[in-house]
Amino acid sequence: MGHGHGHGHGANADRRYLAAALTLLLAFMAVEVVIGIAANSIALISDAGHMLTDAGAIALALVAMRMAARPARGAYTFGWKRAEILSAAVNGLTFVVLVAYFVYESVRRLIEPPEVAGALVFGTALAGVAINAVAAWLIARADRSSLNVEGAFQHILNDMYAFVATAIAGAVVWLTGWGRADAIAALVVAALMARAAYSLLRDAGRILFEAAPDGVNPAEVNAAIIAHAGVTGVEDLHVWTVTSGFPALSAHVTVMPGGDCHRVRRELAELLHERFHIDHTTLQVDHVPGTACRMTAR
């Protein structure tokens, strides 16, 4: 059986989608900074800062994808595949920083609401929603099963929510003159970002600490192996995720005297593939009283 590490999307296509989204965001960000200064709008400048972190997240994702594509060699027997997980963790941490900033800025604006050109903020924010929608569509076409790509997508999605909140706040300020609307909208955005940060950091943390893949219970895996007619015991069972979409398993399996180690190994590999979707399995299969029959399932 093959290891089956492919993620289903072409890495080159994923990089093109991310690069196109990056170019779009950088161009709009430059325009937004100019308009934000002209409108004396902290909200728009803050959105531009948020967009800068989006661009940074995508650039980091592109670098991580190139690193992950490097072949395994030397001491790095799995290559650089976990570079994308580190990238996802960094994305989650930047969300945490942004949440802290937005909460601080929101409280300050609730106390001292700034004067903002509401109409200009409203129009620019609507344009920002459209730009982020296109960028999100581009990134959604890439392989979002990758935490690396998902991290960049979550940045864009949250930025789009931020622009929606800014547009609403701009309309309220424009029509009513109530400046605190901007601060309330920013708090809503901060809550959305906190949820995205938790999700990314949780998923990246599970992989970095080599927890079992989401949805795979090691106790159930152990029971399924033991249930095989030729197996008498399982030791040193480890189930982990190398990188997104790449679960792995290793175990020491003992079979009854006279059992066929080769057949048992093949059948267990098929079982793990069909029931738990684990293709990269390393099984040491021995007879109970006899000599070792060491092999790697493929």
Side-chain angles (χ1 to χ4, degrees):
M1 294 179 63
H3 290 171
H5 302 165
H7 295 301
H9 289 69
N12 288 334
D14 287 352
R15 284 195 287 267
R16 286 197 300 270
Y17 293 136
L18 290 173
L22 177 60
T23 301
L24 188 65
L25 292 177
L26 287 175
F28 184 79
M29 182 187 68
V31 173
E32 187 181 18
V33 169
V34 174
I35 296 176
I37 294 173
N40 193 28
S41 170
I42 293 294
L44 286 181
I45 295 175
S46 297
D47 276 335
H50 191 181
M51 189 169 276
L52 179 62
T53 66
D54 297 342
I58 295 175
L60 189 60
L62 287 168
V63 172
M65 288 174 73
R66 287 189 176 277
M67 291 180 67
R70 293 180 180 179
R73 62 179 61 174
Y76 297 90
T77 56
F78 280 111
W80 294 76
K81 295 187 181 300
R82 280 205 173 162
E84 69 169 55
I85 306 305
L86 293 174
S87 173
V90 171
N91 283 341
L93 290 174
T94 59
F95 272 135
V96 173
V97 173
L98 285 172
V99 167
Y101 168 73
F102 281 137
V103 169
Y104 167 79
E105 192 67 17
S106 298
V107 172
R108 190 181 69 81
R109 292 181 190 181
L110 283 172
I111 297 172
E112 298 180 5
E115 293 185 6
V116 179
L120 193 54
V121 172
F122 176 71
T124 305
L126 286 183
V129 171
I131 292 295
N132 276 271
V134 174
W137 174 77
L138 286 168
I139 295 179
R141 297 189 66 185
D143 181 13
R144 282 182 56 202
S145 68
S146 162
L147 270 184
N148 185 34
V149 176
E150 180 65 14
F153 180 79
Q154 288 296 334
H155 264 275
I156 300 299
L157 200 60
N158 277 273
D159 199 22
M160 187 161 63
Y161 294 151
F163 274 112
V164 170
T166 300
I168 294 172
V172 170
V173 173
W174 178 25
L175 298 175
T176 69
W178 191 52
R180 289 183 173 85
D182 178 73
I184 294 173
L187 286 173
V188 172
V189 173
L192 293 170
M193 293 175 64
R195 185 179 65 176
Y198 171 77
S199 178
L200 278 174
L201 290 174
R202 178 198 60 199
D203 293 344
R206 286 184 62 88
I207 294 176
L208 292 175
F209 285 97
E210 299 193 338
D214 190 29
V216 176
N217 186 334
E220 292 181 5
V221 175
N222 187 88
I225 296 175
I226 286 288
H228 188 283
V231 173
T232 62
V234 182
E235 298 177 346
D236 297 326
L237 174 65
H238 300 282
V239 190
W240 71 101
T241 303
V242 177
T243 190
S244 303
F246 188 173
L249 175 147
S250 67
H252 178 204
V253 179
T254 54
V255 301
M256 63 183 60
D260 186 340
C261 289
H262 293 274
R263 178 180 59 81
V264 170
R265 190 269 301 164
R266 288 194 302 268
E267 290 175 356
L268 289 178
E270 291 173 0
L271 168 69
L272 293 168
H273 166 72
E274 293 173 2
R275 183 168 173 182
F276 300 102
H277 309 291
I278 301 174
D279 292 333
H280 190 93
T281 56
T282 303
L283 301 173
Q284 177 182 334
V285 185
D286 298 334
H287 291 108
V288 173
T291 57
C293 180
R294 189 182 183 94
M295 60 200 72
T296 300
R298 294 201 63 189

